Amino acid sequence: GALIDIIEARKGLEMHAAALASERRTIEDISNIKAILKNMRGSLNDYNAFLHHDMDFHLSIGMATKNEIIIDLMEKIQKISFNTRDTLWKTADHIEINIHSDLAKHEKLLEFIVAGDAQNASQCIARHLDELLERLKRGVTREKD
């Protein structure tokens, strides 16, 4: 239940952050996000490492907004989210995970940010978080690639 609450809160914040990042990102921001995606690709066989890179990915989008309040909120909510996901991963009998699908969604989000497409970036992160919410609401079932 706590993780569902966190993801619901993240949705609005990250939709706005993705839109702002699309409008305000710099070449350095894009380079940083691409490096994190490369790390994500390299950790497909290590879920814990993948989660760390996933958190970095979302924080890097927050940084690209250039809005100190959004950055601070995203840092706090990502830390809470990570700790909750980590506890769930260690204690649940089943967790539905599709790392390859999650990576593809992150790559698509970056495409929209690079293109400066605020509307599609916002919708992309909304769909990603909605799918994550649905997985959690169905119950935790493990589906590893």
Side-chain angles (χ1 to χ4, degrees):
L3 192 53
I4 289 171
D5 290 348
I6 293 165
I7 294 168
E8 288 173 347
R10 281 179 57 191
K11 183 178 174 184
L13 178 63
E14 292 199 39
M15 287 176 68
H16 188 59
L20 285 178
S22 297
E23 297 166 356
R24 299 177 178 175
R25 82 276 186 260
T26 63
I27 292 170
E28 183 179 307
D29 292 323
I30 291 168
S31 178
N32 184 43
I33 297 168
K34 285 181 178 180
I36 293 167
L37 277 173
K38 182 178 180 182
N39 290 336
M40 289 174 79
R41 273 186 230 104
S43 64
L44 290 172
N45 294 320
D46 182 349
Y47 186 68
N48 193 47
F50 186 87
L51 275 182
H52 280 280
H53 298 308
D54 178 78
M55 182 174 68
D56 290 342
F57 176 87
H58 291 272
L59 291 175
S60 68
I61 291 172
M63 298 295 288
T65 69
K66 312 299 185 234
N67 179 306
E68 293 300 320
I69 301 300
I70 289 174
I71 293 166
D72 185 54
L73 289 171
M74 286 187 70
E75 287 173 345
K76 289 175 180 168
I77 204 165
Q78 281 296 324
K79 183 176 180 182
I80 294 167
S81 180
F82 181 83
N83 290 337
T84 305
R85 281 188 299 186
D86 190 49
T87 300
L88 181 64
W89 174 252
K90 289 176 180 172
T91 60
D93 291 332
H94 303 287
I95 300 176
E96 181 181 339
I97 298 169
N98 190 326
I99 291 177
H100 293 279
S101 175
D102 288 347
L103 177 62
K105 290 172 188 137
H106 288 72
E107 290 172 333
K108 191 66 176 171
L109 176 57
L110 177 59
E111 286 178 30
F112 290 129
I113 290 171
V114 168
D117 188 341
Q119 182 176 354
N120 279 319
S122 181
Q123 290 173 356
C124 184
I125 191 64
R127 281 190 305 273
H128 174 55
L129 292 173
D130 283 343
E131 289 172 14
L132 181 55
L133 276 171
E134 286 306 309
R135 283 190 255 169
L136 290 169
K137 289 176 180 178
R138 282 195 301 266
V140 285
T141 58
R142 194 168 291 198
E143 179 193 304
K144 289 192 178 184
D145 291 332

